[in-house]
Coordinates of all heavy atoms in Angstrom, one line a residue:
L1 N 6.8 -6.3 2.0 CA 7.6 -5.1 2.3 C 8.1 -5.2 3.9 O 9.2 -4.7 4.0 CB 6.8 -3.9 2.0 CG 6.7 -3.5 0.5 CD1 5.8 -2.4 0.4 CD2 7.9 -3.5 -0.2
A2 N 7.3 -5.7 4.7 CA 7.6 -5.7 6.1 C 8.8 -6.6 6.3 O 9.7 -6.3 7.0 CB 6.5 -6.1 6.9
K3 N 8.9 -7.6 5.6 CA 10.1 -8.6 5.8 C 11.3 -7.9 5.2 O 12.3 -8.1 5.8 CB 9.8 -10.0 4.9 CG 8.8 -10.9 5.7 CD 8.7 -12.2 5.0 CE 7.6 -13.1 5.6 NZ 7.5 -14.4 5.0
A4 N 11.1 -7.3 4.1 CA 12.4 -6.5 3.5 C 12.8 -5.5 4.5 O 14.0 -5.2 4.7 CB 12.0 -6.0 2.2
Q5 N 11.8 -4.8 5.1 CA 12.2 -3.7 6.2 C 13.0 -4.3 7.3 O 13.9 -3.8 7.7 CB 11.1 -3.1 6.6 CG 11.3 -1.9 7.6 CD 12.2 -0.8 7.2 OE1 12.3 -0.5 6.0 NE2 12.8 -0.2 8.0
R6 N 12.4 -5.6 7.8 CA 13.2 -6.1 8.9 C 14.6 -6.7 8.5 O 15.5 -6.5 9.3 CB 12.3 -7.4 9.4 CG 11.2 -6.9 10.3 CD 10.6 -8.1 11.0 NE 10.0 -9.2 10.2 CZ 8.8 -9.2 9.5 NH1 7.9 -8.3 9.7 NH2 8.5 -10.2 8.7
A7 N 14.6 -7.2 7.3 CA 16.1 -7.6 6.8 C 17.0 -6.5 6.6 O 18.1 -6.5 7.1 CB 15.9 -8.3 5.4
F8 N 16.4 -5.3 6.2 CA 17.3 -4.1 6.2 C 17.7 -3.7 7.4 O 18.8 -3.3 7.7 CB 16.4 -3.1 5.4 CG 17.2 -1.7 5.3 CD1 18.3 -1.5 4.5 CD2 16.9 -0.7 6.3 CE1 19.0 -0.2 4.5 CE2 17.7 0.6 6.2 CZ 18.6 0.7 5.4
M9 N 16.8 -3.6 8.5 CA 17.1 -3.3 9.9 C 18.2 -4.2 10.3 O 19.1 -3.8 11.1 CB 15.9 -3.2 10.8 CG 14.9 -2.0 10.2 SD 15.7 -0.4 10.1 CE 16.0 -0.2 11.9
D10 N 18.0 -5.5 10.2 CA 19.1 -6.5 10.7 C 20.4 -6.2 10.1 O 21.3 -6.2 10.9 CB 18.6 -7.8 10.3 CG 17.5 -8.4 11.1 OD1 17.1 -7.8 12.1 OD2 16.9 -9.4 10.6
I11 N 20.5 -5.9 8.8 CA 21.8 -5.6 8.2 C 22.2 -4.2 8.7 O 23.5 -4.1 9.0 CB 21.7 -5.5 6.7 CG1 21.4 -6.9 6.2 CG2 22.9 -5.0 6.1 CD1 20.9 -7.0 4.7
K12 N 21.4 -3.3 8.9 CA 21.8 -1.9 9.4 C 22.5 -2.1 10.8 O 23.6 -1.6 11.1 CB 20.6 -1.1 9.5 CG 20.9 0.4 10.0 CD 19.8 1.3 10.2 CE 20.0 2.5 10.9 NZ 18.8 3.3 11.2
H13 N 21.8 -3.0 11.7 CA 22.3 -3.2 12.9 C 23.6 -3.9 13.0 O 24.6 -3.6 13.7 CB 21.3 -3.9 14.0 CG 20.2 -3.0 14.3 ND1 20.2 -1.9 15.1 CD2 18.9 -3.2 13.9 CE1 19.1 -1.3 15.2 NE2 18.2 -2.1 14.5
A14 N 23.8 -4.8 12.0 CA 24.9 -5.7 11.9 C 26.1 -4.7 11.4 O 27.2 -4.9 11.9 CB 24.8 -6.7 10.9
L15 N 25.8 -3.8 10.5 CA 26.8 -2.9 10.1 C 27.4 -2.0 11.2 O 28.5 -1.6 11.2 CB 26.4 -2.0 9.0 CG 26.1 -2.7 7.7 CD1 25.4 -1.7 6.7 CD2 27.4 -3.1 7.0
M16 N 26.6 -1.8 12.2 CA 27.0 -1.1 13.4 C 28.0 -1.8 14.2 O 28.7 -1.2 15.1 CB 25.9 -0.5 14.2 CG 25.1 0.5 13.4 SD 23.7 1.0 14.5 CE 22.7 2.1 13.4
R17 N 28.1 -3.1 13.9 CA 29.0 -3.9 14.9 C 30.3 -4.2 14.1 O 31.2 -3.5 14.3 CB 28.3 -5.2 15.3 CG 27.2 -5.0 16.2 CD 26.5 -6.2 16.7 NE 25.8 -6.8 15.6 CZ 24.6 -7.3 15.5 NH1 24.0 -7.4 16.6 NH2 24.1 -8.0 14.4
D18 N 30.3 -5.3 13.4 CA 31.6 -5.6 12.6 C 31.4 -6.4 11.6 O 30.1 -6.8 11.2 CB 32.5 -6.4 13.6 CG 31.9 -7.7 14.1 OD1 30.9 -8.2 13.6 OD2 32.6 -8.4 15.0
E19 N 32.3 -6.8 10.7 CA 32.1 -7.4 9.3 C 31.6 -8.8 9.6 O 30.8 -9.2 8.8 CB 33.6 -7.5 8.6 CG 34.0 -6.1 8.3 CD 35.4 -6.2 7.8 OE1 36.2 -7.0 8.4 OE2 35.8 -5.4 6.9
A20 N 31.9 -9.5 10.6 CA 31.6 -10.8 10.8 C 30.1 -10.9 11.0 O 29.3 -11.7 10.7 CB 32.3 -11.6 12.1
S21 N 29.6 -9.9 11.8 CA 28.1 -9.8 11.9 C 27.4 -9.6 10.8 O 26.3 -10.1 10.5 CB 27.8 -8.6 13.0 OG 28.4 -8.9 14.2
V22 N 27.9 -8.8 9.8 CA 27.2 -8.6 8.6 C 27.2 -9.8 7.7 O 26.1 -10.1 7.2 CB 28.0 -7.3 7.8 CG1 27.4 -7.2 6.4 CG2 28.0 -6.1 8.5
V23 N 28.4 -10.5 7.6 CA 28.3 -11.7 6.9 C 27.4 -12.8 7.5 O 26.7 -13.4 6.8 CB 29.8 -12.2 6.8 CG1 29.8 -13.7 6.3 CG2 30.7 -11.3 6.1
G24 N 27.3 -12.8 8.8 CA 26.4 -13.8 9.5 C 25.0 -13.4 9.0 O 24.1 -14.2 8.9
S25 N 24.5 -12.1 9.1 CA 23.2 -11.6 8.8 C 22.8 -12.1 7.3 O 21.8 -12.5 7.0 CB 23.0 -10.1 8.9 OG 23.2 -9.8 10.2
I26 N 23.9 -11.8 6.4 CA 23.7 -12.2 5.1 C 23.5 -13.7 4.8 O 22.6 -14.1 4.1 CB 24.8 -11.7 4.2 CG1 24.8 -10.1 4.1 CG2 24.7 -12.2 2.8 CD1 25.9 -9.5 3.5
E27 N 24.4 -14.5 5.5 CA 24.2 -15.8 5.5 C 22.9 -16.4 5.9 O 22.3 -17.3 5.3 CB 25.4 -16.5 6.2 CG 26.7 -16.6 5.5 CD 27.7 -17.3 6.3 OE1 27.8 -17.1 7.5 OE2 28.6 -18.0 5.6
S28 N 22.5 -15.8 7.0 CA 21.1 -16.2 7.6 C 19.9 -15.9 6.6 O 19.1 -16.7 6.3 CB 20.9 -15.5 8.8 OG 19.6 -15.7 9.4
G29 N 20.0 -14.7 6.0 CA 19.1 -14.3 5.0 C 19.1 -15.3 3.8 O 18.0 -15.7 3.3
E30 N 20.2 -15.6 3.3 CA 20.4 -16.5 2.1 C 19.9 -17.9 2.5 O 19.3 -18.6 1.6 CB 21.9 -16.4 1.6 CG 22.2 -15.2 1.0 CD 23.5 -15.0 0.4 OE1 24.5 -15.9 0.7 OE2 23.8 -14.2 -0.5
A31 N 20.2 -18.3 3.6 CA 19.6 -19.7 4.2 C 18.1 -19.6 4.1 O 17.4 -20.7 3.6 CB 20.2 -20.0 5.4
H32 N 17.5 -18.7 4.5 CA 16.1 -18.5 4.5 C 15.6 -18.5 3.0 O 14.6 -19.2 2.7 CB 15.7 -17.2 5.2 CG 14.2 -16.9 5.1 ND1 13.4 -17.7 5.9 CD2 13.5 -16.1 4.4 CE1 12.0 -17.3 5.6 NE2 12.2 -16.3 4.8
L33 N 16.3 -17.8 2.2 CA 15.9 -17.6 0.7 C 16.0 -19.1 0.1 O 15.1 -19.6 -0.6 CB 16.7 -16.8 0.0 CG 16.5 -15.3 0.0 CD1 17.5 -14.5 -0.8 CD2 15.1 -15.1 -0.7
Q34 N 17.1 -19.8 0.4 CA 17.2 -21.1 -0.2 C 16.1 -22.1 0.3 O 15.6 -22.8 -0.5 CB 18.6 -21.7 0.3 CG 18.9 -23.2 -0.4 CD 20.3 -23.5 -0.2 OE1 21.1 -22.9 0.1 NE2 20.3 -24.9 -0.7
A35 N 15.8 -22.0 1.5 CA 14.6 -22.9 1.9 C 13.3 -22.5 1.3 O 12.5 -23.4 0.9 CB 14.5 -22.6 3.6
R36 N 13.0 -21.3 0.9 CA 11.9 -20.9 0.3 C 11.9 -21.4 -1.3 O 11.0 -21.9 -1.7 CB 11.8 -19.4 0.3 CG 11.5 -19.0 1.7 CD 10.7 -18.0 2.0 NE 9.5 -17.8 1.2 CZ 8.6 -16.9 1.4 NH1 8.5 -16.2 2.3 NH2 7.5 -16.7 0.5
F37 N 13.2 -21.2 -1.8 CA 13.3 -21.8 -3.2 C 13.2 -23.2 -3.2 O 12.5 -23.8 -4.1 CB 14.8 -21.4 -3.7 CG 14.8 -20.0 -4.3 CD1 15.7 -19.1 -3.6 CD2 14.0 -19.6 -5.3 CE1 15.9 -17.9 -4.2 CE2 14.2 -18.3 -5.8 CZ 15.2 -17.4 -5.2
D38 N 13.6 -24.0 -2.3 CA 13.5 -25.4 -2.1 C 12.1 -25.8 -2.1 O 11.6 -26.8 -2.8 CB 14.2 -26.0 -1.0 CG 15.8 -26.0 -1.1 OD1 16.2 -25.8 -2.3 OD2 16.4 -26.1 -0.1
R39 N 11.3 -25.1 -1.2 CA 9.8 -25.3 -1.1 C 9.1 -25.1 -2.5 O 8.3 -25.8 -3.0 CB 9.2 -24.5 -0.1 CG 9.4 -25.1 1.3 CD 8.5 -24.4 2.4 NE 8.6 -23.0 2.5 CZ 9.5 -22.4 3.2 NH1 10.4 -23.1 4.0 NH2 9.5 -21.1 3.2
A40 N 9.5 -23.9 -3.1 CA 8.9 -23.6 -4.5 C 9.2 -24.7 -5.5 O 8.3 -24.9 -6.2 CB 9.4 -22.2 -5.0
L41 N 10.4 -25.1 -5.5 CA 10.9 -26.1 -6.6 C 10.1 -27.5 -6.3 O 9.9 -28.2 -7.1 CB 12.3 -26.2 -6.6 CG 13.0 -25.1 -7.3 CD1 14.6 -25.3 -7.0 CD2 12.6 -24.9 -8.7
S42 N 9.6 -27.7 -5.2 CA 8.9 -29.0 -4.9 C 7.4 -28.9 -5.2 O 6.7 -30.0 -5.2 CB 9.1 -29.3 -3.4 OG 8.4 -28.5 -2.6
D43 N 6.9 -27.7 -5.6 CA 5.5 -27.5 -6.1 C 5.4 -28.1 -7.5 O 6.0 -27.5 -8.5 CB 5.3 -26.1 -6.1 CG 3.7 -25.8 -6.3 OD1 3.0 -26.8 -6.7 OD2 3.4 -24.6 -6.3
E44 N 4.7 -29.2 -7.6 CA 4.5 -29.9 -8.9 C 3.5 -29.2 -9.8 O 3.4 -29.5 -11.0 CB 4.0 -31.3 -8.6 CG 5.1 -32.2 -8.0 CD 4.8 -33.5 -7.7 OE1 3.8 -34.0 -8.3 OE2 5.5 -34.2 -6.9
A45 N 3.0 -28.2 -9.3 CA 1.9 -27.4 -10.1 C 2.5 -26.3 -10.9 O 1.9 -25.6 -11.7 CB 0.8 -26.7 -9.2
L46 N 3.8 -26.0 -10.8 CA 4.5 -25.0 -11.5 C 4.6 -25.3 -12.9 O 4.9 -26.4 -13.2 CB 5.9 -24.7 -10.9 CG 6.1 -24.2 -9.5 CD1 7.4 -24.1 -9.1 CD2 5.4 -22.8 -9.4
S47 N 4.5 -24.3 -13.8 CA 4.8 -24.5 -15.2 C 6.2 -24.7 -15.3 O 7.1 -24.3 -14.5 CB 4.3 -23.4 -15.9 OG 5.1 -22.1 -15.6
A48 N 6.8 -25.2 -16.5 CA 8.1 -25.5 -16.7 C 8.8 -24.1 -16.8 O 10.0 -24.0 -16.4 CB 8.2 -26.2 -18.2
T49 N 8.2 -23.1 -17.3 CA 8.9 -21.7 -17.5 C 9.2 -21.2 -16.0 O 10.3 -20.7 -15.8 CB 8.1 -20.8 -18.4 OG1 7.7 -21.3 -19.5 CG2 8.7 -19.4 -18.3
T50 N 8.1 -21.3 -15.2 CA 8.3 -20.8 -13.8 C 9.2 -21.6 -13.0 O 10.2 -21.1 -12.4 CB 6.9 -20.8 -13.1 OG1 6.0 -20.1 -13.9 CG2 7.1 -20.3 -11.7
R51 N 9.3 -22.8 -13.3 CA 10.3 -23.7 -12.6 C 11.6 -23.4 -13.0 O 12.5 -23.4 -12.1 CB 10.0 -25.2 -12.8 CG 10.9 -26.2 -12.1 CD 10.4 -27.6 -12.3 NE 9.1 -27.9 -12.0 CZ 8.6 -28.2 -10.7 NH1 9.5 -28.1 -9.7 NH2 7.4 -28.4 -10.5
E52 N 12.0 -23.2 -14.3 CA 13.2 -22.8 -14.8 C 13.6 -21.4 -14.1 O 14.8 -21.3 -13.7 CB 13.2 -22.8 -16.2 CG 14.6 -22.4 -16.9 CD 15.8 -23.4 -16.4 OE1 15.5 -24.6 -16.0 OE2 16.9 -22.9 -16.6
T53 N 12.7 -20.5 -14.1 CA 13.1 -19.3 -13.5 C 13.4 -19.3 -12.1 O 14.4 -18.7 -11.6 CB 11.9 -18.3 -13.8 OG1 11.5 -18.1 -15.0 CG2 12.1 -16.8 -13.0
I54 N 12.7 -20.2 -11.4 CA 13.0 -20.3 -9.9 C 14.4 -21.0 -9.8 O 15.2 -20.8 -8.8 CB 11.9 -21.1 -9.2 CG1 10.7 -20.2 -9.1 CG2 12.3 -21.6 -7.7 CD1 9.4 -21.0 -8.7
R55 N 14.6 -22.1 -10.7 CA 15.8 -22.8 -10.6 C 17.1 -21.8 -10.9 O 18.1 -22.0 -10.2 CB 15.8 -24.0 -11.6 CG 17.0 -24.8 -11.5 CD 17.3 -25.6 -12.7 NE 17.5 -24.9 -13.8 CZ 18.8 -24.4 -14.1 NH1 19.6 -24.4 -13.3 NH2 18.9 -23.7 -15.2
R56 N 17.0 -20.9 -11.8 CA 18.0 -20.1 -12.0 C 18.3 -19.1 -10.9 O 19.4 -18.8 -10.5 CB 17.8 -19.3 -13.3 CG 17.9 -20.0 -14.6 CD 17.7 -19.1 -15.7 NE 17.8 -20.1 -16.9 CZ 17.5 -19.6 -18.2 NH1 17.1 -18.2 -18.4 NH2 17.5 -20.5 -19.2
A57 N 17.2 -18.7 -10.2 CA 17.3 -17.6 -9.2 C 17.9 -18.5 -7.9 O 18.7 -17.9 -7.2 CB 16.0 -17.2 -8.8
H58 N 17.5 -19.7 -7.7 CA 18.1 -20.5 -6.7 C 19.5 -20.8 -6.9 O 20.4 -20.6 -5.9 CB 17.3 -21.8 -6.8 CG 17.5 -22.8 -5.5 ND1 17.4 -24.1 -5.6 CD2 18.0 -22.4 -4.3 CE1 17.8 -24.5 -4.5 NE2 18.0 -23.6 -3.7
A59 N 20.0 -21.0 -8.0 CA 21.4 -21.2 -8.4 C 22.2 -19.8 -8.1 O 23.3 -19.9 -7.5 CB 21.7 -21.4 -9.9
A60 N 21.6 -18.7 -8.3 CA 22.3 -17.4 -7.9 C 22.4 -17.3 -6.4 O 23.4 -16.8 -5.9 CB 21.5 -16.2 -8.6
V61 N 21.4 -17.7 -5.8 CA 21.5 -17.7 -4.3 C 22.5 -18.5 -3.8 O 23.3 -18.3 -2.8 CB 20.1 -18.1 -3.7 CG1 20.2 -18.3 -2.1 CG2 19.1 -16.9 -3.9
R62 N 22.7 -19.8 -4.2 CA 23.7 -20.7 -3.9 C 25.1 -20.1 -4.1 O 25.9 -20.3 -3.3 CB 23.5 -22.1 -4.5 CG 22.5 -23.0 -4.0 CD 22.5 -24.3 -4.5 NE 22.6 -24.4 -5.9 CZ 21.7 -24.7 -6.8 NH1 20.6 -24.9 -6.4 NH2 22.1 -24.8 -8.0
T63 N 25.2 -19.4 -5.3 CA 26.4 -18.8 -5.6 C 26.8 -17.7 -4.6 O 28.0 -17.7 -4.1 CB 26.5 -18.2 -7.0 OG1 26.2 -19.2 -7.9 CG2 27.7 -17.4 -7.3
G64 N 25.8 -17.0 -4.2 CA 25.9 -15.9 -3.1 C 26.4 -16.5 -1.7 O 27.1 -16.1 -1.0
Q65 N 25.7 -17.7 -1.5 CA 26.1 -18.3 -0.2 C 27.4 -18.9 -0.2 O 28.1 -18.7 0.7 CB 25.1 -19.6 0.0 CG 23.6 -19.2 0.4 CD 22.9 -20.5 0.5 OE1 22.7 -21.2 -0.4 NE2 22.2 -20.6 1.6
D66 N 27.9 -19.3 -1.4 CA 29.3 -19.8 -1.5 C 30.3 -18.7 -1.2 O 31.3 -18.8 -0.5 CB 29.6 -20.5 -2.8 CG 28.8 -21.8 -3.0 OD1 28.3 -22.4 -1.9 OD2 28.7 -22.3 -4.1
E67 N 30.0 -17.5 -1.8 CA 30.8 -16.4 -1.7 C 30.8 -15.9 -0.2 O 31.9 -15.5 0.3 CB 30.3 -15.2 -2.5 CG 30.6 -15.5 -4.0 CD 29.9 -14.4 -5.1 OE1 29.2 -13.5 -4.4 OE2 30.1 -14.6 -6.2
M68 N 29.7 -16.0 0.4 CA 29.6 -15.5 1.8 C 30.5 -16.4 2.7 O 31.1 -15.9 3.6 CB 28.2 -15.3 2.4 CG 27.5 -14.0 1.8 SD 28.3 -12.6 2.3 CE 28.9 -11.9 0.8
H69 N 30.3 -17.7 2.4 CA 31.0 -18.7 3.1 C 32.6 -18.5 3.0 O 33.3 -18.5 4.1 CB 30.7 -20.1 2.6 CG 31.5 -21.2 3.4 ND1 31.0 -21.6 4.7 CD2 32.5 -22.0 3.0 CE1 32.0 -22.5 5.1 NE2 32.7 -22.8 4.1
V70 N 33.2 -18.1 1.8 CA 34.4 -17.9 1.6 C 34.9 -16.6 2.4 O 35.9 -16.6 3.0 CB 34.8 -17.8 0.1 CG1 36.2 -17.3 -0.1 CG2 34.7 -19.1 -0.5
L71 N 34.0 -15.6 2.3 CA 34.2 -14.4 3.1 C 34.4 -14.5 4.5 O 35.2 -14.1 5.2 CB 33.3 -13.3 2.6 CG 33.4 -11.9 3.3 CD1 34.8 -11.4 2.9 CD2 32.3 -11.0 2.9
R72 N 33.4 -15.3 5.1 CA 33.4 -15.6 6.5 C 34.6 -16.2 7.0 O 35.3 -15.9 7.9 CB 32.1 -16.4 6.9 CG 32.1 -16.7 8.4 CD 30.8 -17.2 8.9 NE 30.4 -18.4 8.1 CZ 30.9 -19.7 8.2 NH1 31.6 -20.0 9.3 NH2 30.4 -20.7 7.5
R73 N 35.0 -17.3 6.1 CA 36.2 -18.1 6.4 C 37.6 -17.1 6.4 O 38.4 -17.3 7.3 CB 36.6 -19.3 5.5 CG 35.4 -20.3 5.6 CD 35.3 -20.9 7.0 NE 36.7 -21.6 7.3 CZ 36.8 -22.7 7.7 NH1 35.8 -23.5 7.9 NH2 38.0 -23.3 7.9
S74 N 37.4 -16.2 5.5 CA 38.6 -15.3 5.4 C 38.6 -14.3 6.6 O 39.7 -14.0 7.1 CB 38.5 -14.4 4.1 OG 39.5 -13.4 4.1
L75 N 37.4 -13.9 7.0 CA 37.5 -12.9 8.2 C 37.9 -13.7 9.4 O 38.6 -13.1 10.3 CB 36.0 -12.4 8.3 CG 35.6 -11.4 7.3 CD1 34.0 -11.2 7.5 CD2 36.3 -10.2 7.4
E76 N 37.5 -15.0 9.5 CA 37.9 -15.8 10.7 C 39.4 -15.9 10.6 O 40.1 -15.9 11.7 CB 37.2 -17.2 10.6 CG 35.8 -17.2 10.9 CD 35.0 -18.4 10.7 OE1 35.7 -19.4 10.2 OE2 33.9 -18.6 11.0
G77 N 40.0 -16.3 9.5 CA 41.4 -16.4 9.4 C 42.2 -15.1 9.8 O 43.1 -15.1 10.4
R78 N 41.5 -13.9 9.3 CA 42.1 -12.6 9.7 C 42.1 -12.5 11.1 O 43.1 -11.9 11.7 CB 41.4 -11.6 8.9 CG 42.1 -10.2 9.0 CD 41.6 -9.1 8.3 NE 40.4 -8.7 9.1 CZ 39.4 -7.9 8.4 NH1 39.5 -7.7 7.4 NH2 38.3 -7.7 9.2
Q79 N 41.0 -12.7 11.8 CA 40.9 -12.6 13.3 C 41.9 -13.5 14.0 O 42.6 -13.2 15.0 CB 39.5 -13.1 13.8 CG 38.5 -12.1 13.4 CD 37.0 -12.4 13.7 OE1 36.8 -13.6 13.9 NE2 36.1 -11.6 13.8
D80 N 42.2 -14.8 13.4 CA 43.2 -15.7 14.1 C 44.6 -15.0 13.9 O 45.4 -15.0 14.8 CB 43.1 -17.0 13.4 CG 42.0 -17.8 13.7 OD1 41.4 -17.6 14.7 OD2 41.6 -18.8 13.1
A81 N 44.8 -14.5 12.8 CA 46.2 -13.8 12.4 C 46.4 -12.6 13.3 O 47.5 -12.3 13.6 CB 46.2 -13.5 11.0
D82 N 45.3 -11.9 13.7 CA 45.5 -10.7 14.5 C 45.7 -11.1 16.0 O 46.0 -10.3 16.8 CB 44.2 -9.8 14.4 CG 44.2 -9.1 13.0 OD1 45.2 -9.1 12.3 OD2 43.1 -8.6 12.6
N83 N 45.4 -12.4 16.3 CA 45.5 -12.8 17.6 C 47.0 -12.8 18.0 O 47.8 -13.5 17.4 CB 44.9 -14.3 17.9 CG 44.8 -14.6 19.2 OD1 45.6 -14.3 20.1 ND2 44.0 -15.6 19.6
P84 N 47.3 -12.3 19.1 CA 48.8 -12.2 19.5 C 49.4 -13.6 19.8 O 50.6 -13.8 19.7 CB 48.9 -11.3 20.8 CG 47.4 -11.1 21.2 CD 46.5 -11.5 20.0
L85 N 48.5 -14.6 20.1 CA 48.9 -16.0 20.3 C 49.1 -16.7 19.1 O 49.6 -17.9 19.1 CB 48.0 -16.6 21.2 CG 47.9 -16.1 22.6 CD1 46.8 -16.8 23.4 CD2 49.2 -16.0 23.4
Y86 N 48.8 -16.1 17.8 CA 48.8 -16.8 16.6 C 50.3 -17.0 16.2 O 51.0 -16.0 16.2 CB 48.0 -16.0 15.4 CG 47.9 -16.6 14.2 CD1 47.1 -17.6 13.9 CD2 48.8 -16.3 13.1 CE1 47.0 -18.3 12.7 CE2 48.7 -17.0 11.9 CZ 47.8 -18.0 11.7 OH 47.7 -18.5 10.4
P87 N 50.7 -18.2 15.9 CA 52.1 -18.3 15.5 C 52.4 -17.6 14.1 O 51.7 -17.8 13.2 CB 52.3 -19.8 15.3 CG 50.9 -20.4 15.2 CD 50.1 -19.4 15.8
Q88 N 53.5 -16.8 14.2 CA 53.9 -16.1 13.1 C 54.9 -16.7 12.3 O 55.9 -17.4 12.6 CB 54.5 -14.7 13.5 CG 53.4 -13.9 14.2 CD 52.3 -13.5 13.2 OE1 52.3 -13.1 12.1 NE2 51.0 -13.5 13.8

């Protein structure tokens, strides 16, 4: 619960700044989750059912990471387009 609270506070602080900060916080959290899933999947003592459950959750995290990557690139593009030096 303490980790969830810290994550919530990180997101709350990021929301007070800008969209790019929020996306960065989410990407950081998802990278942490992916590392934990990778460690869990390397555990040979897991049952087949548990391994499959973890594998499916891991796939969902990867999908979320891909979506955040696309969103971050979109935000970067918008920032570039808002720059007065950006060619129109």
Side-chain angles (χ1 to χ4, degrees):
L1 288 174
K3 285 183 182 182
Q5 176 65 23
R6 283 192 300 272
F8 175 77
M9 293 306 293
D10 288 344
I11 291 171
K12 179 181 172 188
H13 290 293
L15 288 172
M16 293 178 180
R17 291 183 295 225
D18 62 7
E19 294 167 332
S21 296
V22 173
V23 172
S25 293
I26 293 170
E27 283 183 316
S28 175
E30 288 180 342
H32 177 74
L33 278 175
Q34 181 166 351
R36 297 216 34 172
F37 280 120
D38 289 339
R39 280 195 304 272
L41 287 170
S42 69
D43 184 354
E44 295 181 13
L46 293 176
S47 70
T49 303
T50 301
R51 183 175 305 281
E52 181 60 20
T53 301
I54 292 171
R55 188 196 62 73
R56 287 181 184 175
H58 190 207
V61 168
R62 281 194 313 263
T63 299
Q65 284 178 308
D66 293 343
E67 290 171 358
M68 285 298 110
H69 179 74
V70 168
L71 180 58
R72 181 171 49 85
R73 296 299 300 232
S74 174
L75 290 171
E76 289 170 354
R78 190 177 74 199
Q79 287 173 344
D80 287 342
D82 290 342
N83 185 332
L85 299 176
Y86 187 79
Q88 298 295 323

